[in-house]
Amino acid sequence: MMKQIQGFSKLSKQDKIEWLATHFFQNADLAKQTLMQYWNSNQQLQQLHDEFTENTISNLYIPFGVAPNFLIDGQFYSLPMAIEESSVVAAASNAAKFWQSRGGFKTEIIGTEKVGQIHFTFNGQADFLFSQFNSLKQSLIETANEVSANMIKRGGGLTTIDLIDKTDALENYYQIHACFETLDAMGANYINSCLEAMAKLWENELNAALANSTHKLEVVMSILSNYVPNCLVKAQVSCPVSALAKDQDKAKQYAQKFVQAVQIAQVEPYRAVTHNKGIMNGIDALVLATGNDFRAVEAGVHAYASRTGTYRSLSDARIENDEFIFEMTLPLALGTVGGLTKLHPLVKLALEMLGNPNAQELMRIAAVCGLAQNFAALNSLTTTGIQKGHMKMHLMNILNQFQATEEEKTTIAKMYENKTISHTQVVETLNAMRDAAN
Ligand code: MEV
């Protein structure tokens, strides 16, 4: 059977499913039923989701959870988190509760600069290019400003443009590096429109100036950068070491071991990746729930974690004058207008739950969510180990996978209360219970 097709995108949704079901599944009816059971019965809502992207045939549900009791800069928040991984929301909630009685989370916006670049080649003298750039700079700025009327009215827009000679890295390669203030928008569309308008002017003007020359300028591409090392937010918690545990020796040991765990992630990339993954468990969940682009955030954050040439922990912990300080600074380009923010009813609800924050407030909240997640992970790792909490949730997933009844779940959860949970053993216990009952 031919597993390729022309014009798939032109088929109706039903016909797309029909074609897939007959070509890729042993049980075509089951495949169709599985896909269609996730369709929303509200047709208008389903159409909205269908139109977010192309070739939509169903919806993949991800749990939308909430971590309450986050005290951030003196205000309480309940954080919406879209994530499928067990323990993440529970861990965030526990960290929120722990820090609530120790002063809560403090945050600071360090910068909000976004970046875009026009990448081009030129086979002539750099001096000529720089002198042309200087005379065209004002026109380039005005061209960007024409695209930016609304952004400028609100106080944003293009802030700087520079010509950069990159020929040491790649033959004939130059770029125009532009910085922007995009206010409450993440800014991707806006930045790309500005860049494309400037690139057109730049290429036309330069090639007109080079009309009688053998040299040529060619724009390769114009695109925003998801690396935003000057769009930074800091989140911090601190308390006297003595407030970390009732027993003072334990409190001291706890703080020291916690600091060591962070130091390991600062010098050991294998550990740093997992450490930062834990941070992103929180950040991605909040970013996704608030309709932001988590791939952009991920790419930018990990690039930032490597900015010294070695991949390192994003967070830092220390003990200073008997004070335990745990903090993190990271780049987050987020938006609270545009994109899905008004379109997706759950995203709109998530933003309302956060008090309809502006982009800077959302940066603060997301950074806190990441720090809380990192705190919870290190707290478990340096004390009980991670499996205890993880496996409790995992147990429910195993039991659900085997359609355990509520009675079976309660009995088995009790049996495994103080035991290590292994998938095989749980399944064996469940089967044994079922055999005994028959
Ligand atoms: C699991 O999703 C995240 C952790 O591995 C993070 C960490 O090790 O710090 C628990």
Side-chain angles (χ1 to χ4, degrees), residues 85 271 274-275 277-278 281 377 381 386:
E85 183 176 331
R271 172 58 202 148
T274 317
H275 177 99
K277 186 273 183 187
N281 275 347
L381 288 167
I386 205 75

Side-chain angles (χ1 to χ4, degrees), residues 250-391:
K250 271 200 184 136
K252 218 170 155 184
Q253 273 169 19
Y254 176 89
Q256 280 166 353
K257 209 169 165 192
F258 193 101
V259 168
Q260 275 169 351
V262 177
Q263 284 169 345
I264 290 170
Q266 280 166 351
V267 298
E268 167 52 56
Y270 278 93
R271 172 58 202 148
V273 171
T274 317
H275 177 99
N276 290 345
K277 186 273 183 187
I279 292 171
M280 298 316 287
N281 275 347
I283 293 181
D284 282 345
L286 189 111
V287 164
L288 191 55
T290 56
N292 275 276
D293 180 344
F294 64 90
R295 288 86 56 207
V297 169
E298 281 277 344
V301 165
H302 294 297
Y304 187 75
S306 319
R307 69 194 181 286
T308 58
T310 305
Y311 188 90
R312 288 176 193 280
S313 159
L314 290 160
S315 62
D316 179 48
R318 59 189 183 276
I319 301 166
E320 244 172 47
N321 303 324
D322 292 328
E323 186 85 356
F324 171 78
I325 302 165
F326 180 45
E327 63 188 21
M328 178 174 76
T329 299
L330 83 172
L332 286 175
L334 299 178
T336 54
V337 297
L340 281 191
T341 55
K342 295 274 177 309
L343 276 180
H344 195 303
L346 270 178
V347 165
K348 218 168 134 198
L349 179 139
L351 287 168
E352 190 175 346
M353 187 151 82
L354 293 173
N356 288 322
N358 61 27
Q360 293 194 18
E361 284 160 347
L362 193 62
M363 284 167 75
R364 294 172 191 271
I365 298 166
V368 164
C369 195
L371 190 71
Q373 212 64 53
N374 193 209
F375 176 79
L378 294 173
N379 176 59
S380 298
L381 288 167
T382 57
T383 56
T384 58
I386 205 75
Q387 286 310 83
K388 200 168 174 226
H390 254 209
M391 280 311 197

Side-chain angles (χ1 to χ4, degrees), residues 9-227:
S9 66
K10 308 238 160 43
L11 296 180
S12 70
K13 187 161 138 183
Q14 198 74 52
D15 287 345
K16 284 184 184 111
I17 290 180
E18 203 64 54
W19 183 77
L20 288 166
T22 46
H23 286 77
F24 295 92
F25 299 93
Q26 281 195 340
N27 186 338
D29 284 340
L30 181 64
K32 281 191 263 183
Q33 194 193 327
T34 306
L35 286 167
M36 286 159 68
Q37 76 186 354
Y38 287 102
W39 286 6
N40 200 296
S41 56
N42 176 337
Q43 279 184 18
Q44 226 180 336
L45 196 61
Q46 186 53 57
Q47 194 179 342
L48 182 75
H49 285 74
D50 288 352
E51 289 172 5
F52 283 148
T53 184
E54 305 79 29
N55 293 344
T56 311
I57 51 171
S58 189
N59 309 301
L60 178 73
Y61 292 173
I62 290 183
F64 180 97
V66 178
N69 301 321
F70 268 90
L71 181 58
I72 306 175
D73 300 323
Q75 269 196 57
F76 275 101
Y77 294 86
S78 286
L79 307 194
M81 298 177 75
I83 186 154
E84 85 302 342
E85 183 176 331
S86 52
S87 304
V88 169
V89 177
S93 307
N94 290 341
K97 206 162 145 204
F98 183 88
W99 284 106
Q100 180 195 330
S101 57
R102 290 167 178 82
F105 295 82
K106 308 276 184 317
T107 69
E108 186 191 336
I109 298 289
I110 297 169
T112 57
E113 183 181 274
K114 311 280 170 55
V115 175
Q117 296 171 320
I118 300 168
H119 305 275
F120 63 93
T121 55
F122 177 61
N123 58 358
Q125 290 295 313
D127 286 354
F128 169 78
L129 215 48
F130 278 92
S131 85
Q132 288 290 314
F133 180 74
N134 285 337
S135 35
L136 281 169
K137 194 169 174 178
Q138 199 48 41
S139 309
L140 288 167
I141 295 171
E142 278 160 23
T143 303
N145 288 351
E146 278 164 30
V147 181
S148 315
N150 277 335
M151 192 61 86
I152 290 171
K153 221 178 346 179
R154 285 182 275 129
L158 176 72
T159 53
T160 61
I161 46 169
D162 290 291
L163 174 64
I164 299 178
D165 182 341
K166 302 284 287 185
T167 51
D168 277 353
L170 187 66
E171 198 184 359
N172 297 339
Y173 169 39
Y174 295 83
Q175 62 178 228
I176 293 177
H177 184 93
C179 295
F180 299 84
E181 169 54 60
T182 62
L183 305 168
D184 290 333
M186 187 267 192
N189 276 333
Y190 160 68
I191 292 174
N192 291 336
S193 301
C194 284
L195 293 172
E196 286 185 8
M198 287 195 289
K200 209 171 186 179
L201 177 91
W202 177 241
E203 196 172 42
N204 288 344
E205 290 290 330
L206 263 288
N207 284 325
L210 291 165
N212 298 320
S213 148
T214 52
H215 296 137
K216 198 169 176 284
L217 180 143
E218 192 173 23
V219 169
V220 179
M221 60 191 161
S222 308
I223 186 75
L224 96 159
S225 172
N226 291 122
Y227 185 44

